Amino acid sequence: MPHLTVEYSANLDGRADIGALCDGLMKAVLSTGLFEVGAVRVRAVRCEDYAIADQLPENAFVDLNFRIGIGRSPEEKKRAGEAIFAAASETLAPLFETPHFALSLEIREIDPDLSWKKNAIHPRLRGR
């Protein structure tokens, strides 16, 4: 159930390769060995409307929200977060050359009693 949502300000169009960011994040998540390939989702949501800090038009953001199922140790979650944040920081490095960019990541654990899923991808990838 690892779902990584990338929210980003629309003013990053032409300044950041969001597709490459998603690919790099997928690789980072899988590189941890903590998640099954058939469960991982990385998706980007472009935010048209936003207000950032002092509201200069060049201010931009990428916010990463990583939702995972329970069952991983604090050390494993920290390792996953560090891998994801490093991948995002590397891909978005040119944006940090200006004083107008913010990157954030939060990991949230899903309560299994309040989460419903149906996945036809798992059986295919598991060879069933």
Side-chain angles (χ1 to χ4, degrees):
M1 163 71 213
H3 289 213
L4 180 53
T5 302
V6 179
E7 290 185 4
Y8 67 97
S9 54
N11 66 348
L12 288 177
D13 290 350
R15 295 172 54 200
D17 186 340
I18 301 301
L21 176 62
C22 289
D23 289 342
L25 293 172
M26 173 67 90
K27 289 175 185 158
V29 170
L30 292 174
S31 75
T32 67
L34 297 170
F35 307 101
E36 207 175 339
V37 69
V40 180
R41 313 279 187 278
V42 178
R43 56 184 159 262
V45 179
R46 183 177 186 267
C47 299
E48 283 291 328
D49 300 308
Y50 50 86
I52 304 168
D54 57 355
Q55 297 189 15
L56 292 175
E58 56 270 29
N59 289 348
F61 73 89
V62 169
D63 177 59
L64 308 172
N65 179 10
F66 192 45
R67 297 181 302 128
I68 61 173
I70 62 169
R72 287 161 193 90
S73 71
E75 295 79 19
E76 289 172 324
K77 290 182 279 191
K78 184 171 171 114
R79 182 166 50 92
E82 288 171 348
I84 292 165
F85 200 78
S89 295
E90 181 179 332
T91 301
L92 301 170
L95 297 173
F96 287 106
E97 294 174 9
T98 76
H100 301 286
F101 180 66
L103 172 64
S104 57
L105 164 65
E106 181 177 6
I107 298 177
R108 299 176 184 181
E109 283 188 320
I110 304 297
D111 181 335
D113 293 331
L114 301 174
S115 179
W116 295 260
K117 298 175 227 28
K118 193 171 188 177
N119 185 336
I121 298 172
H122 276 307
R124 177 178 55 83
L125 293 176
R126 291 175 181 162
R128 294 184 208 152

